[in-house]
Amino acid sequence: QVQLVESGGGLVQPGGSLRLSCAVSGRNIDIYTMGWHRQAPGKQREFVARIASGRNTNYADSAKGRFTISRDNAKNTVYLQMNSLKPEDTAVYYCNTYPAVWPWGQGTQVTVSS
């Protein structure tokens, strides 16, 4: 059974940075396109970034230039480096395949506030 465990979230001031991690167990990620998504209070879950097995990346317009997705297949882990954070980045962040096919994890809360 696949399990996704997101971590690295927290409270950060506007302009700050966070690095999120997503540890995957139960399946090797190397052949999958992996993605980060987020869900803000009262809103639908939305796409943030994805990275293909060949390491090509794509970002939502809101993430371009500020966020960087990466992967370490040896560690079965996906990362999201988030810089220049804004209050509108406040959300619970989730990882999954792209498109999502595995059960969602609990996510990690990111709160950007002064």
Side-chain angles (χ1 to χ4, degrees):
Q1 184 174 350
V2 179
Q3 186 175 16
L4 305 169
V5 179
E6 299 92 347
S7 62
L11 173 63
V12 63
Q13 292 187 342
S17 298
L18 285 173
R19 188 193 194 206
L20 306 184
S21 299
C22 171
V24 181
S25 60
R27 192 74 59 88
N28 291 333
I29 67 169
D30 50 352
I31 64 170
Y32 294 97
T33 294
M34 298 297 297
W36 282 96
H37 308 75
R38 67 186 182 186
Q39 187 167 18
K43 295 187 176 181
Q44 298 270 21
R45 187 173 289 159
E46 65 177 7
F47 165 75
V48 175
R50 66 177 183 257
I51 182 167
S53 58
R55 300 181 190 272
N56 288 335
T57 57
N58 294 91
Y59 297 90
D61 287 344
S62 60
K64 286 179 182 176
R66 300 188 300 126
F67 295 2
T68 302
I69 188 171
S70 60
R71 62 193 297 160
D72 186 335
N73 291 340
K75 295 183 178 180
N76 231 34
T77 300
V78 184
Y79 303 98
L80 186 67
Q81 177 67 43
M82 304 189 297
N83 299 327
S84 302
L85 282 161
K86 305 174 182 180
E88 50 263 44
D89 295 317
T90 294
V92 179
Y93 284 70
Y94 303 87
C95 73
N96 209 311
T97 56
Y98 188 91
V101 296
W102 293 336
W104 293 95
Q106 296 184 69
T108 186
Q109 175 71 48
V110 172
T111 302
V112 185
S113 175
S114 55

